[in-house]
Amino acid sequence: MLTKRIIPCLDIKNGRTVKGVNFVDLIDAGDPVELAKQYALKGADELVFLDISATLEGRGTTLDMVLHVAEQVNIPFTVGGGISSVEHVDALLQCGADKVSVNSSAVKRPALVKELADKFGSQCVVVAIDAKQVDGQWKVHLAGGSIPTDIDLFEWAKEVETLGAGEILFTSMNHDGTKNGFANDALAKLSDMLNIPIIASGGAGTIQHFVDTFKDGKADAALAASVFHFGEIPISELKAELKNNNIAVRL
């Protein structure tokens, strides 16, 4: 049985880790490289770094930070934010990133997903989807959740799988930062219709929320930020409880 993964997410703005609620009201959560080092030591399976203002500011993720992280951690990490070309991904991988996450740029030009999968392999390509439930329909949002679209979450997820995405990172904007649990109904639907791993994001507040998203949401990995950054849920305790619930994890 494949183990379920626990993934701290570090949202980066101006070189610092930040955290908000429903994608706004950001507060400082510390130095990303130091946090990454601590998570690697404390049992995180992977890390995700998202440069949340890169797309809005029309620039790529900073290579310096990726280099520093790669020097300090020994677990796989994914980098996203403003990635729109094969050349940029090549540079990020050369600096030590294991995977890249594309979001807005993939919606604007879906062929990018295929180009990246063909060049670097599907295992390297994570498509991040920020979606919000609007009148009962899950709609994709772009540029850090600031631009709504009419694109259906499930149709888009299926399309990127066909194009060669290796994983989907689905963030529910309705649940983000609320600590009320993950969007398990939508996650389970994604899991049932796709053959690639689904990373759950948005809503972690308690250890039970992680148990629920692996059991009810059928997620392959769970990503969270503030509960880890501010020490509310120690990863070792989380994994021990998951194991007690017969959920396979790497201890």
Side-chain angles (χ1 to χ4, degrees), residues 214-235:
F214 289 132
K215 289 193 168 179
D216 303 335
K218 304 180 185 178
D220 299 280
L223 176 146
S226 56
V227 291
F228 296 143
H229 299 339
F230 303 122
E232 294 161 36
I233 299 179
I235 291 173

Side-chain angles (χ1 to χ4, degrees), residues 47-93:
L47 298 168
V48 169
F49 295 86
L50 297 177
D51 190 331
I52 58 172
S53 54
T55 296
L56 279 172
E57 293 169 10
R59 59 173 173 78
T61 305
T62 52
L63 299 176
D64 278 357
M65 184 201 74
V66 177
L67 266 173
H68 290 313
V69 171
E71 287 167 358
Q72 299 287 343
V73 305
N74 58 355
I75 57 175
F77 69 96
T78 301
V79 179
I83 294 171
S84 58
S85 70
V86 166
E87 293 74 22
H88 190 194
V89 171
D90 195 38
L92 290 165
L93 298 179

Side-chain angles (χ1 to χ4, degrees), residues 128-185:
I129 307 176
D130 300 330
K132 193 175 194 175
Q133 208 167 17
V134 182
D135 298 328
Q137 304 288 314
W138 283 97
K139 297 296 183 183
V140 175
H141 284 56
L142 308 183
S146 63
I147 302 171
T149 76
D150 280 332
I151 299 166
D152 177 78
L153 161 67
F154 304 103
E155 289 172 10
W156 175 234
K158 191 68 192 168
E159 183 178 345
V160 297
E161 179 185 44
T162 305
L163 289 166
E167 279 185 295
I168 300 282
L169 166 53
F170 163 53
T171 301
S172 163
M173 293 176 62
N174 305 76
H175 295 71
D176 178 70
T178 63
K179 300 187 181 176
N180 291 327
F182 295 92
N184 291 326
D185 289 348

Side-chain angles (χ1 to χ4, degrees), residues 78 89 93 98-101 116 120-126 166:
T78 301
V89 171
L93 298 179
D98 297 277
K99 306 182 210 177
V100 294
S101 165
L116 296 180
F120 305 108
S122 288
Q123 82 292 336
C124 175
V125 184
V126 179

Side-chain angles (χ1 to χ4, degrees), residues 194-206:
L194 302 177
N195 297 307
I196 55 175
I198 311 296
I199 304 168
S201 166
T206 67

